Protein backbone atom coordinates (compact mmCIF):
# COMPACT_ATOMS: atom_id res chain seq x y z
CA UNK A 1 0.00 0.00 0.00
CA UNK A 2 2.79 2.39 0.92
CA UNK A 3 6.58 2.65 1.00
CA UNK A 4 8.82 4.73 3.22
CA UNK A 5 12.21 5.10 1.49
CA UNK A 6 13.80 6.89 4.48
CA UNK A 7 13.17 3.99 6.89
CA UNK A 8 13.20 1.39 4.12
CA UNK A 9 9.80 0.00 5.22
CA UNK A 10 6.76 -1.09 3.28
CA UNK A 11 3.08 -1.55 4.19
CA UNK A 12 1.08 -4.38 2.65
CA UNK A 13 -2.63 -5.21 2.54
CA UNK A 14 -3.72 -8.83 2.16
CA UNK A 15 -7.17 -9.66 0.88
CA UNK A 16 -8.79 -13.09 0.63
CA UNK A 17 -10.45 -13.21 -2.77
CA UNK A 18 -11.98 -16.65 -2.53
CA UNK A 19 -12.49 -19.55 -0.15
CA UNK A 20 -12.92 -23.07 -1.44
CA UNK A 21 -13.72 -26.34 0.26
CA UNK A 22 -11.01 -28.85 0.97
CA UNK A 23 -10.65 -31.78 -1.38
CA UNK A 24 -13.21 -34.51 -0.72
CA UNK A 25 -10.61 -37.03 0.54
CA UNK A 26 -9.33 -34.60 3.15
CA UNK A 27 -12.77 -33.70 4.41
CA UNK A 28 -13.75 -37.40 4.66
CA UNK A 29 -10.60 -38.03 6.67
CA UNK A 30 -11.51 -35.15 8.97
CA UNK A 31 -14.99 -36.56 9.44
CA UNK A 32 -13.56 -39.99 10.12
CA UNK A 33 -11.06 -38.57 12.61
CA UNK A 34 -13.90 -36.85 14.48
CA UNK A 35 -15.87 -40.09 14.63
CA UNK A 36 -12.85 -42.13 15.74
CA UNK A 37 -13.64 -41.32 19.36
CA UNK A 38 -16.64 -43.68 19.20
CA UNK A 39 -15.86 -46.05 16.35
CA UNK A 40 -12.95 -48.45 15.89
CA UNK A 41 -13.75 -49.08 12.22
CA UNK A 42 -15.04 -46.54 9.73
CA UNK A 43 -15.73 -47.08 6.06
CA UNK A 44 -16.31 -44.51 3.37
CA UNK A 45 -18.14 -46.12 0.42
CA UNK A 46 -18.99 -44.65 -2.98
CA UNK A 47 -22.26 -46.35 -3.96
CA UNK A 48 -21.76 -45.54 -7.64
CA UNK A 49 -18.80 -47.88 -8.01
CA UNK A 50 -18.53 -49.60 -4.57
CA UNK A 51 -15.03 -48.19 -4.03
CA UNK A 52 -14.21 -47.90 -0.35
CA UNK A 53 -11.66 -46.77 2.18
CA UNK A 54 -11.45 -48.53 5.54
CA UNK A 55 -10.20 -46.48 8.48
CA UNK A 56 -9.24 -47.99 11.81
CA UNK A 57 -8.61 -46.40 15.18
CA UNK A 58 -8.27 -47.13 18.83
CA UNK A 59 -11.72 -46.06 20.00
CA UNK A 60 -11.43 -42.99 22.17
CA UNK A 61 -7.92 -42.13 20.99
CA UNK A 62 -8.79 -39.89 18.04
CA UNK A 63 -5.90 -41.23 15.96
CA UNK A 64 -7.09 -42.80 12.74
CA UNK A 65 -5.35 -44.72 10.00
CA UNK A 66 -6.40 -45.59 6.46
CA UNK A 67 -6.19 -49.36 6.69
CA UNK A 68 -7.09 -50.37 3.16
CA UNK A 69 -8.77 -49.31 -0.05
CA UNK A 70 -10.81 -51.46 -2.36
CA UNK A 71 -13.11 -51.59 -5.36
CA UNK A 72 -15.86 -54.02 -4.36
CA UNK A 73 -17.07 -53.16 -0.86
CA UNK A 74 -20.02 -55.54 -0.53
CA UNK A 75 -18.12 -58.60 -1.78
CA UNK A 76 -15.15 -57.67 0.42
CA UNK A 77 -17.59 -57.49 3.35
CA UNK A 78 -18.79 -61.04 2.68
CA UNK A 79 -15.19 -62.25 2.76
CA UNK A 80 -14.51 -60.32 5.99
CA UNK A 81 -17.70 -61.67 7.58
CA UNK A 82 -16.69 -65.25 6.86
CA UNK A 83 -13.31 -64.62 8.51
CA UNK A 84 -14.14 -62.33 11.44
CA UNK A 85 -17.75 -62.81 12.54
CA UNK A 86 -18.78 -65.09 15.36
CA UNK A 87 -20.11 -68.27 13.72
CA UNK A 88 -23.70 -68.08 15.10
CA UNK A 89 -24.07 -64.49 13.77
CA UNK A 90 -22.74 -65.04 10.24
CA UNK A 91 -25.86 -66.32 8.52
CA UNK A 92 -28.13 -63.52 9.74
CA UNK A 93 -25.44 -60.90 9.00
CA UNK A 94 -24.93 -62.12 5.44
CA UNK A 95 -28.70 -62.26 4.91
CA UNK A 96 -29.25 -58.67 6.06
CA UNK A 97 -26.04 -56.95 4.94
CA UNK A 98 -26.91 -56.47 1.29
CA UNK A 99 -26.76 -53.24 -0.67
CA UNK A 100 -30.49 -53.28 -1.47
CA UNK A 101 -31.46 -53.83 2.20
CA UNK A 102 -29.15 -51.06 3.37
CA UNK A 103 -30.44 -48.55 0.81
CA UNK A 104 -34.06 -49.40 1.63
CA UNK A 105 -33.47 -48.97 5.39
CA UNK A 106 -31.70 -45.65 4.86
CA UNK A 107 -34.54 -44.40 2.65
CA UNK A 108 -37.20 -45.45 5.17
CA UNK A 109 -35.48 -44.81 8.50
CA UNK A 110 -32.51 -42.56 7.71
CA UNK A 111 -29.92 -45.16 8.71
CA UNK A 112 -29.13 -48.88 8.74
CA UNK A 113 -28.17 -50.40 12.10
CA UNK A 114 -27.05 -53.89 12.97
CA UNK A 115 -25.63 -55.60 16.07
CA UNK A 116 -23.43 -58.69 15.78
CA UNK A 117 -20.35 -60.28 17.29
CA UNK A 118 -16.78 -60.26 16.02
CA UNK A 119 -14.21 -62.80 17.14
CA UNK A 120 -10.78 -61.62 18.21
CA UNK A 121 -8.39 -63.93 20.04
CA UNK A 122 -11.18 -66.52 20.17
CA UNK A 123 -13.45 -64.24 22.24
CA UNK A 124 -16.72 -62.92 20.75
CA UNK A 125 -17.24 -59.16 21.16
CA UNK A 126 -20.53 -57.37 20.52
CA UNK A 127 -20.37 -54.51 18.02
CA UNK A 128 -22.91 -52.16 16.49
CA UNK A 129 -22.75 -51.01 12.88
CA UNK A 130 -24.42 -47.77 11.84
CA UNK A 131 -24.63 -46.68 8.20
CA UNK A 132 -25.70 -43.23 7.05
CA UNK A 133 -25.68 -41.32 3.79
CA UNK A 134 -23.38 -38.34 3.46
CA UNK A 135 -25.40 -35.13 3.74
CA UNK A 136 -24.07 -33.44 0.61
CA UNK A 137 -23.07 -36.58 -1.31
CA UNK A 138 -26.14 -38.86 -1.34
CA UNK A 139 -24.33 -41.57 -3.31
CA UNK A 140 -21.71 -41.91 -0.57
CA UNK A 141 -22.16 -43.61 2.78
CA UNK A 142 -20.23 -43.66 6.04
CA UNK A 143 -20.23 -46.86 8.08
CA UNK A 144 -19.19 -46.82 11.72
CA UNK A 145 -18.58 -49.91 13.85
CA UNK A 146 -18.43 -49.44 17.63
CA UNK A 147 -17.92 -51.86 20.50
CA UNK A 148 -21.05 -52.37 22.60
CA UNK A 149 -19.87 -55.47 24.46
CA UNK A 150 -20.34 -54.09 27.98
CA UNK A 151 -23.88 -52.88 27.25
CA UNK A 152 -24.92 -56.17 25.64
CA UNK A 153 -23.44 -58.29 28.44
CA UNK A 154 -25.27 -56.14 31.01
CA UNK A 155 -28.50 -56.55 29.05
CA UNK A 156 -28.00 -60.34 28.92
CA UNK A 157 -27.41 -60.39 32.68
CA UNK A 158 -30.59 -58.38 33.30
CA UNK A 159 -32.58 -60.71 31.00
CA UNK A 160 -31.28 -63.78 32.87
CA UNK A 161 -32.18 -62.24 36.23
CA UNK A 162 -35.68 -61.36 34.99
CA UNK A 163 -36.19 -64.92 33.68
CA UNK A 164 -34.98 -66.41 36.98
CA UNK A 165 -37.31 -64.12 38.92
CA UNK A 166 -40.26 -65.16 36.71
CA UNK A 167 -39.38 -68.85 37.11
CA UNK A 168 -39.07 -68.55 40.89
CA UNK A 169 -42.38 -66.67 40.97
CA UNK A 170 -44.10 -69.49 39.06
CA UNK A 171 -42.58 -72.12 41.33
CA UNK A 172 -43.68 -70.19 44.40
CA UNK A 173 -47.21 -69.86 43.00
CA UNK A 174 -47.44 -73.58 42.32
CA UNK A 175 -45.96 -74.72 45.59
CA UNK A 176 -47.28 -72.19 48.09
CA UNK A 177 -49.33 -74.81 50.00
CA UNK A 178 -46.44 -77.27 49.96
CA UNK A 179 -44.03 -74.87 51.65
Amino acid sequence: IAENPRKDTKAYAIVILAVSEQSSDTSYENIARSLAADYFNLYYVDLNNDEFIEYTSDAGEGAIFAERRGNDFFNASVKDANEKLYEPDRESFLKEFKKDNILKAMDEQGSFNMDYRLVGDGIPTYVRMKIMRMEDYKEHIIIGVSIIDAQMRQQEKENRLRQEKESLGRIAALSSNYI
Side-chain angles (χ1 to χ4, degrees):
I1 298 173
E3 187 175 332
N4 184 337
R6 283 187 186 176
K7 293 186 178 183
D8 195 29
T9 59
K10 297 176 183 173
Y12 296 93
I14 299 173
V15 178
I16 299 173
L17 298 176
V19 176
S20 63
E21 291 186 34
Q22 295 175 321
S23 70
S24 59
D25 286 339
T26 303
S27 63
Y28 296 134
E29 287 179 22
N30 289 338
I31 291 167
R33 190 173 287 109
S34 298
L35 293 172
D38 293 326
Y39 298 100
F40 69 92
N41 272 91
L42 291 163
Y43 300 86
Y44 163 73
V45 182
D46 183 336
L47 295 173
N48 292 316
N49 55 20
D50 289 348
E51 288 181 355
F52 70 95
I53 304 171
E54 176 185 4
Y55 298 94
T56 59
S57 73
D58 294 328
E61 296 296 316
I64 189 161
F65 310 96
E67 184 77 21
R68 68 178 171 160
R69 295 174 181 265
N71 296 319
D72 195 359
F73 176 74
F74 292 96
N75 284 330
S77 298
V78 169
K79 182 179 181 248
D80 289 347
N82 285 320
E83 294 173 3
K84 299 176 183 177
L85 259 67
Y86 186 53
E87 175 74 35
D89 295 351
R90 274 187 210 151
E91 185 179 336
S92 63
F93 178 91
L94 293 172
K95 182 179 177 185
E96 289 297 315
F97 193 75
K98 297 190 182 315
K99 190 174 184 177
D100 293 340
N101 293 345
I102 293 167
L103 295 175
K104 181 179 178 188
M106 287 189 302
D107 288 342
E108 292 173 358
Q109 301 158 11
S111 67
F112 176 88
N113 299 287
M114 179 183 275
D115 297 344
Y116 54 93
R117 290 170 285 184
L118 294 175
V119 177
D121 299 326
I123 300 168
T125 302
Y126 285 97
V127 297
R128 175 166 293 147
M129 176 194 309
K130 182 172 187 171
I131 305 175
M132 303 211 34
R133 286 186 195 272
M134 298 288 295
E135 183 75 24
D136 296 329
Y137 304 95
K138 297 295 185 191
E139 293 303 314
H140 299 178
I141 58 175
I142 292 285
I143 302 169
V145 182
S146 60
I147 297 173
I148 58 165
D149 201 58
Q151 300 97 310
M152 293 300 287
R153 297 208 186 275
Q154 179 64 31
Q155 185 178 349
E156 286 177 346
K157 182 179 176 182
E158 290 170 3
N159 288 342
R160 277 194 308 275
L161 288 172
R162 188 175 61 251
Q163 289 173 348
E164 287 176 10
K165 186 177 177 182
E166 288 175 6
S167 296
L168 290 173
R170 289 181 186 135
I171 290 171
L174 292 172
S175 62
S176 61
N177 291 338
Y178 177 76
I179 293 174

